[in-house]
Amino acid sequence: MTSSDPTLVLAFDMANGAPQAAALGFEPGTIVDGKARMAMGWRADLVEDEASQALASGVISTLLDHCGGMAVSTFKMGMFRPATLDLRIDFLRPAAARSGVSVQVECYRIAGPIAYVRGEAWDADPTDPIALVQGAFVHNGTPA
């Protein structure tokens, strides 16, 4: 990746820099002032079970976690390097069979070393979420 835009570099790094994210095939999306989007396509080796053909909930959880870190990293363009402190994911329904998943997470507040996020995951329709997420990340307070 060759870009001078730090948010594009960060989005690429969050989607491809960690071995786990790269292995799962995370795709960088938009990232603007504390709001981040990421996606991943459907893969047969990542299904919950053969009958459902839906992406595994653990894969979706990992995608939400990475996207939360990406959102914290750009809150007010601070470019912090966060670590997950607490993450709550409520699954509302399974992902659709053979469908990729998109996520959007927003960092809505930083209080001291703690950053707070909320967001959602969906397959075809953003108004029909698969899961909701709330979390807290710790950051070192210095630009990455």
Side-chain angles (χ1 to χ4, degrees):
M1 158 121 218
T2 57
S3 176
S4 60
D5 182 343
T7 58
L8 291 176
V9 171
L10 177 65
F12 183 83
D13 285 348
M14 291 297 288
N16 302 107
Q20 181 184 31
L24 293 172
F26 292 172
E27 302 164 10
T30 59
I31 180 169
V32 178
D33 196 25
K35 291 183 183 178
R37 280 190 178 207
M38 294 179 85
M40 67 173 300
W42 181 87
R43 284 188 6 209
D45 62 327
L46 300 177
V47 299
E48 191 104 297
D49 65 79
E50 286 297 315
S52 74
Q53 290 295 298
L55 284 173
S57 57
V59 173
I60 297 168
S61 297
T62 303
L63 182 61
L64 284 163
D65 186 23
H66 274 310
C67 193
M70 194 163 76
V72 169
S73 295
T74 63
F75 185 76
K76 297 189 179 181
M77 292 310 296
M79 303 301 280
F80 302 122
R81 289 284 185 200
T84 308
L85 186 61
D86 180 54
L87 201 65
R88 176 191 170 109
I89 301 172
D90 294 313
F91 281 89
L92 307 176
R93 64 177 180 83
R98 298 182 167 269
S99 177
V101 172
S102 296
V103 300
Q104 177 173 298
V105 180
E106 171 188 17
C107 177
Y108 62 91
R109 179 181 168 103
I110 291 183
I114 309 298
Y116 300 92
V117 302
R118 59 183 161 220
E120 59 275 331
W122 67 90
D123 43 29
D125 181 1
T127 65
D128 185 19
I130 296 166
L132 304 175
V133 65
Q134 283 194 177
F137 289 75
V138 64
H139 65 85
N140 63 9
T142 59

